[in-house]
């Protein structure tokens, strides 16, 4: 029997396909559900392994999906393969292909101002009911949440970067009666064509992270998490084999 959740370094990943996950979230929307989605890459998993408070935050999610080929490869090495990578960006655009009401929270002011225009151009079937940039402090947070609630969105895309986006969602979601909250990192930059996504051949070769590093060398410190993650998976694999 196929497992619905597969644990990787103590994080329970939802075992689904990209298309299947979009359909499931859309079904949650139609049923008026309130859901929290974490799109976790190796960096998030490693952060959770050293910060138990953050681990507790992401474990409150209804769905944790593998946003990063490294997660899928790790599941294969550990003997319980996930179906495929399920990214925040692909989930976002898949949902925008549906007739939904959506709110966009995050990114720089100049990027957030472009979001509504781009969504109206590319995804006319969805409705942008509100946008707010990601440059706000704790005092403004409650007011922004109230503004979002007043727009009655089906989906709230939160692009504050991790761990800020997950912490913000957990701090506010209980005040909402419904809505799918999903952390999508830098996806607004890609949506507005300000950042190019890796060519399909790089993605197929599982080298998207290399393309992103070459495209933006200033992010190099963040990529330290990848070799750390790979080492942790190797140790976990050895531990499991000894226990067999």
């Amino acid at each position: 029997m196929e497992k619905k959740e597969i644990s990787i370094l103590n994080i329970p990943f939802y075992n689904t396909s990209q298309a299947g996950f979009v359909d499931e979230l859309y079904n949650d929307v139609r049923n008026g559900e309130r859901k929290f989605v974490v799109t976790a890459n190796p960096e998030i998993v490693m952060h959770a392994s050293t910060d138990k408070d953050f681990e507790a935050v992401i474990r409150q999610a209804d769905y944790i999906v593998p946003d990063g080929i490294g997660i899928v490869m790790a599941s294969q090495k550990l003997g319980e393969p996930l179906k495929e990578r399920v990214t925040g960006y692909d989930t976002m655009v898949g949902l925008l292909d549906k007739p939904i009401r959506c709110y966009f929270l995050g990114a720089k002011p100049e990027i957030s101002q472009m979001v509504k225009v781009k969504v109206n151009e590319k995804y006319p079937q969805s409705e942008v009911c509100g946008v707010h940039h990601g440059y706000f402090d704790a005092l403004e947070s409650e007011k922004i949440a109230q503004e979002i609630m007043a727009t009655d969105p089906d989906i709230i895309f939160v692009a504050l970067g991790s761990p800020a986006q997950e912490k913000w969602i957990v701090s506010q979601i209980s005040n909402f009666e419904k809505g799918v909250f999903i952390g999508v990192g830098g996806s607004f930059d890609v949506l507005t064509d300000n950042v190019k996504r890796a060519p399909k051949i790089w993605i197929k070769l599982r080298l998207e992270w290399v393309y992103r590093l070459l495209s933006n060398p200033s992010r190099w410190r963040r990529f330290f998490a990848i070799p750390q993650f790979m080492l942790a998976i190797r140790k976990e694999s050895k531990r499991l084999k000894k226990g067999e």
Side-chain angles (χ1 to χ4, degrees):
M1 185 177 176
E2 188 175 77
K3 293 181 72 172
K4 285 203 92 174
E5 286 188 347
I6 291 173
S7 181
I8 298 176
L9 300 183
N10 205 37
I11 301 300
F13 280 89
Y14 193 54
N15 189 22
T16 186
S17 66
Q18 180 66 72
F21 189 54
V22 169
D23 289 342
E24 188 161 356
L25 289 183
Y26 183 55
N27 193 51
D28 288 337
V29 165
R30 289 188 295 178
N31 290 333
E33 301 278 353
R34 184 180 68 193
K35 299 290 184 178
F36 170 25
V37 181
V38 170
T39 56
N41 57 20
E43 184 182 3
I44 287 176
V45 173
M46 292 313 296
H47 185 175
S49 72
T50 58
D51 183 341
K52 292 305 174 185
D53 289 339
F54 178 57
E55 181 184 339
V57 165
I58 65 174
R59 287 180 70 89
Q60 292 180 56
D62 297 284
Y63 308 104
I64 302 174
V65 292
D67 186 344
I69 194 61
I71 302 293
V72 176
M73 293 170 68
S75 71
Q76 294 166 350
K77 188 169 181 62
L78 295 174
E80 291 188 318
L82 289 158
K83 287 183 181 179
E84 65 176 329
R85 186 179 174 210
V86 179
T87 75
Y89 179 77
D90 289 317
T91 301
M92 180 178 71
V93 298
L95 288 167
L96 289 174
D97 257 334
K98 313 283 188 184
I100 59 168
R101 289 173 54 80
C102 48
Y103 194 102
F104 293 82
L105 174 65
K108 296 177 181 177
E110 60 269 27
I111 297 296
S112 66
Q113 288 170 13
M114 297 174 65
V115 165
K116 187 169 186 177
V117 174
K118 287 295 182 180
V119 172
N120 288 343
E121 284 177 4
K122 297 177 179 180
Y123 307 99
Q125 62 277 21
S126 61
E127 179 185 351
V128 179
C129 55
V131 175
H132 196 289
H133 61 75
Y135 289 72
F136 58 88
D137 58 29
L139 293 175
E140 297 172 282
S141 187
E142 295 291 334
K143 181 182 176 184
I144 291 169
Q146 291 296 322
E147 289 173 359
I148 295 171
M149 208 179 303
T151 67
D152 192 33
D154 299 316
I155 310 254
I156 302 91
F157 297 113
V158 185
L160 301 175
S162 184
Q165 60 196 22
E166 291 82 19
K167 289 181 177 180
W168 186 88
I169 291 170
V170 164
S171 74
Q172 300 297 334
I173 191 171
S174 63
N175 297 319
F176 288 73
E177 290 186 4
K178 70 177 183 69
V180 173
F181 290 74
I182 175 169
V184 293
S187 294
F188 295 1
D189 295 283
V190 182
L191 180 66
T192 55
D193 300 320
N194 281 276
V195 171
K196 286 187 177 181
R197 203 172 185 199
K200 289 183 179 179
I201 186 63
W202 287 72
I203 296 173
K204 187 176 181 181
L205 293 172
R206 299 182 167 183
L207 293 172
E208 185 174 10
W209 66 276
V210 177
Y211 179 88
R212 290 169 65 190
L213 179 57
L214 293 173
S215 302
N216 189 356
S218 64
R219 293 165 55 98
W220 67 269
R221 282 189 177 85
R222 294 183 60 183
F223 287 88
F224 274 144
I226 294 174
Q228 290 172 344
F229 175 76
M230 292 168 64
L231 180 60
I233 292 298
R234 188 176 178 183
K235 288 180 179 177
E236 179 66 5
S237 178
K238 286 182 178 179
R239 187 189 68 80
L240 290 173
K241 286 177 181 177
K242 285 180 181 178
E244 289 175 354

